Amino acid sequence: MKHFKFLMIALLFVLAACGDSSGSEAKKNDDKADAGKWEEIKEAGELVVGTSGTLFAASYYPEGSDKLTGYDAEVIREIAKRLDLNVTFETIGIDGLLAAVNSNRIDVAINDIEITDERKKQFAFTDPYKYSFTSLIVRSDDLSGIETLEDLKGKKAGGGATTVFSDIARHFGAEVVTYSNVSNDVYLQDVNNGRTDTVINDYYLQKLALKAITRFDIKIHPDIKFHPTEQGIVVHKDATKLVQKMNQALQEMRDDGTLTELAKKFYGGEDVSKQPEAEIREIKELDL
């Protein structure tokens, strides 16, 4: 009997050892796959970044300049610098950015892109580098006939076909008027002339757009603040090592004040790297 017990214990030990070995080997393989994108980028010494180049103040070309800048552009430049990488930008319309990440045409996308549960099923995101909420641009004289979000029903909202903002517009019964990769003034002009009734978008971006473009009789709706948001850098789903490296750089930037400095520079003194203090309506019934 003792001999039988000894054999059983020995067998269990062998099985346990085999289990540990295979599990360890599987983990090594997973780690290798996770690190693959990062190793590829590190070897090339270059991070290929997709962004629209038309979104003031996140990603844009200043008048008379061919150098891309903006909060998002400078955040990713600083991250790359801390990771000892060069940056190459590819300008892609907002509706094509996620597909470009998925197809590995670009390494990452940054363009004020909201982190949502639905998107996290297909992509990885860094920690947020920006916090905000959503607002409406409307005509000044009558607020485009919109007193609540429910009044969007039957209205026309200008926006990109695949954005969260357009999803919100459709949810409340608005017709979305889509555009290609155009600049802010086109959206604002159409609200002003009545082609559309509103533009739903990020509050801080809208505030800056109106400050920069003053020739239209439009404004941010004074009574409607909704859908708090977090923006992150979009990465391929399997590139977990790259996300880890970028998050480390982001945390360093947060700790040493670089992120706050960049935020205030491009957002008129507002620190968008911190959550806003405002009463903001959540749209819980909308699955994003």
Side-chain angles (χ1 to χ4, degrees), residues 60-113:
Y60 67 99
Y61 292 93
E63 189 173 351
S65 173
D66 60 358
K67 183 181 178 182
L68 187 76
T69 191
Y71 179 56
D72 290 32
E74 300 308 330
V75 165
I76 199 66
R77 276 198 179 102
E78 182 64 24
I79 289 173
K81 178 182 176 183
R82 294 181 187 224
L83 296 179
D84 198 25
L85 299 171
N86 295 318
V87 172
T88 297
F89 287 105
E90 284 203 24
T91 53
I92 302 170
I94 181 63
D95 291 331
L97 281 172
L98 299 184
V101 172
N102 200 36
S103 67
N104 287 309
R105 173 183 168 185
I106 56 177
D107 297 321
V108 303
I110 185 167
N111 200 73
D112 207 65
I113 299 171

Side-chain angles (χ1 to χ4, degrees), residues 124 159 163:
T163 66

Side-chain angles (χ1 to χ4, degrees), residues 5-261:
K5 286 183 177 178
F6 175 78
L7 288 175
M8 287 297 294
I9 292 170
L11 181 59
L12 287 171
F13 178 79
V14 170
L15 288 173
C18 288
D20 287 344
S21 176
S22 62
S24 177
E25 191 63 33
K27 185 176 187 305
K28 285 180 182 178
N29 289 336
D30 286 345
D31 289 346
K32 186 177 180 180
D34 290 344
K37 187 66 175 178
W38 164 245
E39 295 299 333
E40 176 188 318
I41 291 168
K42 186 170 69 169
E43 184 177 348
E46 177 188 49
L47 187 68
V48 181
V49 178
T51 190
S52 71
T54 59
L55 187 61
F56 183 83
S59 161
Y60 67 99
Y61 292 93
E63 189 173 351
S65 173
D66 60 358
K67 183 181 178 182
L68 187 76
T69 191
Y71 179 56
D72 290 32
E74 300 308 330
V75 165
I76 199 66
R77 276 198 179 102
E78 182 64 24
I79 289 173
K81 178 182 176 183
R82 294 181 187 224
L83 296 179
D84 198 25
L85 299 171
N86 295 318
V87 172
T88 297
F89 287 105
E90 284 203 24
T91 53
I92 302 170
I94 181 63
D95 291 331
L97 281 172
L98 299 184
V101 172
N102 200 36
S103 67
N104 287 309
R105 173 183 168 185
I106 56 177
D107 297 321
V108 303
I110 185 167
N111 200 73
D112 207 65
I113 299 171
E114 183 182 344
I115 302 170
T116 69
D117 290 339
E118 193 63 30
R119 285 173 175 166
K120 285 194 290 186
K121 294 176 183 177
Q122 301 179 64
F123 303 95
F125 283 86
T126 64
D127 295 334
Y129 64 90
K130 176 172 176 270
Y131 299 87
S132 188
F133 58 93
T134 309
S135 57
L136 307 174
I137 285 181
V138 292
R139 288 182 286 278
S140 298
D141 57 351
D142 63 350
L143 303 182
S144 298
I146 301 170
E147 294 184 10
T148 69
L149 288 175
E150 285 68 24
D151 293 329
L152 285 169
K153 186 174 183 179
K155 302 293 185 183
K156 292 183 177 181
T162 62
T163 66
V164 170
F165 305 118
S166 292
D167 288 341
I168 291 171
R170 294 186 191 99
H171 173 75
F172 285 101
E175 175 191 344
V176 176
V177 177
T178 60
Y179 299 77
S180 57
N181 201 28
V182 299
S183 55
N184 286 334
D185 60 317
V186 177
Y187 288 95
L188 303 185
Q189 175 180 277
D190 282 356
V191 175
N192 181 70
N193 64 27
R195 180 171 182 249
T196 59
D197 298 297
T198 186
V199 175
I200 303 174
N201 212 304
D202 177 85
Y203 167 74
Y204 294 114
L205 292 178
Q206 291 193 328
K207 185 176 179 180
L208 285 173
L210 291 182
K211 185 177 179 180
I213 305 170
T214 60
R215 63 184 183 274
F216 303 130
D217 191 18
I218 54 179
K219 65 181 181 181
I220 293 176
H221 200 295
D223 304 320
I224 302 178
K225 298 179 177 71
F226 61 103
H227 187 57
T229 61
E230 297 180 351
Q231 282 74 25
I233 302 164
V234 185
V235 184
H236 196 279
K237 184 72 171 176
D238 297 329
T240 53
K241 186 72 170 180
L242 175 58
V243 173
Q244 179 187 352
K245 292 290 185 180
M246 295 176 80
N247 279 340
Q248 289 173 354
L250 270 174
Q251 188 59 51
E252 290 174 6
M253 292 164 65
R254 194 178 299 280
D255 291 342
D256 65 21
T258 301
L259 209 54
T260 291
E261 182 181 341

